[in-house]
Amino acid sequence: MSSDPVAKWEVFVRNRYWDELLELADSYPERRSLLISFSDLDRYDPEFADDLLENPDPALDAAGTALLEIDLPIDVVLEEAHVRIVELPQRFNTSELRSDQIGKMIAIDGLVRTVTEVRPKINSAAFECQRCGHLFYKEQTSSKFQEPYDCPNEACDRRGPFKLLLSKSRFVDAQNVRIQESPEDLRGGAQPQTLDVQLEDDMAGQIYPGDRVILNGILRSYQRTTQTGKSTYFDLYLDGNSMEMTEQEFEEIEISPEDKKIILDLSKNPEIYDEIKRSIAPSIYGYDDVKEALALQLFSGFAKALPDGTRIRGDIHILLVGDPGIAKSQLLRYISKLSPRGIYTSGKSSTAAGLTATAVKDELGDGRWTIEAGALVLADKGIAAVDEMDKMRKEDRSALHEAMEQQTISVAKAGVMATLKSRCALLAAANPKYGRFDKYEPVAQQINLSPALMSRFDLIFVLTDDPNDQRDSAIAGHILQSNYAGELSLQDGVSQDEIDLAMKVIQPAIEPELLRKYIAYARKNIFPTLTEEVKDQLKSYYVNLRKQGADSDKPVPVTARQLEALIRLSEASSRLRLRNEITLEDGERVIRIVESCLRQVGVDPETGLFDADVIATGISKSTRDKTRLIKDLIREVCTEHQGSAPVEEVLERAEEQGIDRHRAEDIIGRMRLYGEIIEPRNGFLKIP
Ligand code: ADP
Ligand code: MG
């Protein structure tokens, strides 16, 4: 079949894409692209379609010419229109590109990491010969600006000088984007590979950092240059032809009518709460309360736009603080896998963008400034699981306030101003500064997060690793059993039944695939409202909390944020049962969860009473009083001894004042840790 490719395109478009072409002609030049599905072309003429993949440049040129030549019933010329091919048969990751793909049309699947500003790029430069006045055009085909060598006017033929006429030149909007492999495609620990993509005209300015896309285009290469000249190595980039959004949010998961029936049935199960709890990280033993909270985080409250323009977030932020080795990281990983657009990252992330975003001067846009998205942007509309949050960078620390509450991240640097969206729920884990958790020390200080940041979490769980025979042996049994089940599945000659039996303890009650659909259904369809009773219930709980704070003589710790948290959580709780009304049962549930968290964080470890000061300032009043008292004692004894104070004597006096020995030793130990007192020699103390 050696017929003229232009004619072939004409026939194809007339036959299969006539309506689309008319639509395009109708809205031209606002719309300039005719999208053609590769499979349609393939069905029409497989050989022709193959040729498009193998030799895309002439094929696409022919397609463009065909658009111009087709007789249209409307009086327009589709001069600047593009044929864009979508749904290519095979998609590649950025790390799968090889040299034999150069020059071919391919589809790349990935996550947008950075985008440059959209800027005009000269396509066709108009020059005027300054000698003879001849006006001519020079097409600009490469990234390097090409100037004329001599005047094309034969009568002149001189070598200029030439003047570039901007007003007569043709420009096109252009943008460079860099995509990387999606995190879920990365094999453990591998560095994501990136690929730069050039987008022009109506494709520029369409995608943002964090978007998951398929970019179709022609893979091209250019020679690297080093300081010593041209290198034998080449770099790759994609000359973009079309893009397809692939981003899947919870809301976008497809739910078939059969799925819907299963979901509705499931929601009527009176045990649904337990079932879902048992479906979250089943390989991890215990943590019922944490798993319950994680379930609520997945179902999420919903964002509300108020008439005055403010927006209240619906995403639930959760912080897990605790001793090392208690499966915090495991929980985070599990959730980030379960949630669409879930991202797992560490606070000390290696990229420049870190958790939030940054503007970087980038080689990809001729040294233009580009915005690079960090974890919270990449997880937009999903869940960002941030491990070792205590180790995050200073820049992130301040940007996080805005990111968590307003759910935007503003970048203003070197003239680049951008506001990125970070509408994700944050699930963070933090290890205590000194390795292990100190019960007498306020949480905020031990994890190196400011109270302002802490107050943005809806729930904070403190998980300690206290030895407890019963629990320890249960965990051990659980871990041994999961490992055993894993071993069995690798053995020959073991029947599936035996494996299933062994796996039983770590089997989720609801399969992850179904759970995702269930959550997606709830998030898409269920928007429950508070009933009057629940409003009263939450209000009185909140007012009570405030009162407890007001009774102590220090600032009130519980802010309106906690009330918003209660509302979000009860919305999630109601969604979990697919109910459109928030009931007292939901209210009770979330009050129980919030209460247990507040107690862990805000309880004075000495008196066991809820202490306002613990959250507000990070130190409980009684601890602060005792610390001050002991410091005074040390000073006193120092003066008496005209030097340093013997520990023994300090402890005795503390005991006289009603602080038992054990407690006093604790407080002294901590003061030493913070450098408030020093031990010049063994058994003696001094205030520096
Ligand atoms: P962390 O991040 O808290 O330091 P990890 O998530 O790295 O801890 O967990 C360490 C290991 O201990 C993991 O392999 C985890 O599976 C195991 N582990 C700890 N606690 C439990 C538990 N309750 N149930 C099952 N496994 C556990
Ligand atoms: Mg860890």
Side-chain angles (χ1 to χ4, degrees), residues 97-115:
L97 301 177
R98 296 294 176 265
S99 54
D100 58 5
Q101 289 156 324
I102 292 172
K104 313 261 165 80
M105 181 145 191
I106 56 169
I108 306 275
D109 200 351
L111 175 67
V112 180
R113 168 120 234 154
T114 59
V115 302

Side-chain angles (χ1 to χ4, degrees), residues 523-541:
R523 288 175 66 139
K524 198 150 128 193
N525 299 300
I526 310 292
F527 296 91
T529 46
L530 292 160
T531 53
E532 283 307 317
E533 319 157 301
V534 181
K535 276 193 215 160
D536 287 344
Q537 181 191 26
L538 296 183
K539 191 164 128 195
S540 69
Y541 175 70

